Amino acid sequence: MASNELDMRHLEAPEPMVRALDAASRLAPNEVVVIVAPRFPRTLLIELAYLGFEAEPEAPQADGSVRVTIRCPDDAEAQD
């Protein structure tokens, strides 16, 4: 399983969402990417769910940033 992290706290909207969706679209089944968003990414979470990705946000940090683990489901899970 490949894993990497993208820190997007320094980016202005909508760049964190654009980059997160791009990173998610490049994932193979069961691969993971972790993003660090500057704030709770509600719209991103909705879009990822719509596209069939699993996304697990952590509790916000003191600076308001949120780590989100994005996983591409394997083919069998996607068909359920």
Side-chain angles (χ1 to χ4, degrees):
M1 178 185 318
S3 179
N4 53 21
E5 182 171 304
L6 301 173
D7 187 345
M8 298 188 231
R9 290 177 286 184
H10 63 285
L11 301 173
E12 295 292 323
E15 201 61 28
M17 182 165 171
V18 170
R19 291 190 187 190
L21 290 173
D22 180 60
S25 73
R26 296 172 187 266
L27 294 174
N30 290 316
E31 283 189 330
V32 170
V33 64
V34 176
I35 65 151
V36 182
R39 62 179 91 45
F40 191 83
R42 184 174 322 278
T43 305
L44 173 63
L45 296 175
I46 292 167
E47 186 67 19
L48 288 168
Y50 175 78
L51 294 171
F53 292 94
E54 298 173 5
E56 295 181 30
E58 295 179 8
Q61 300 300 308
D63 66 356
S65 66
V66 177
R67 288 173 52 91
V68 179
T69 301
I70 302 168
R71 180 177 163 270
C72 180
D74 66 29
D75 293 335
E77 289 178 75
Q79 294 176 8
D80 288 344

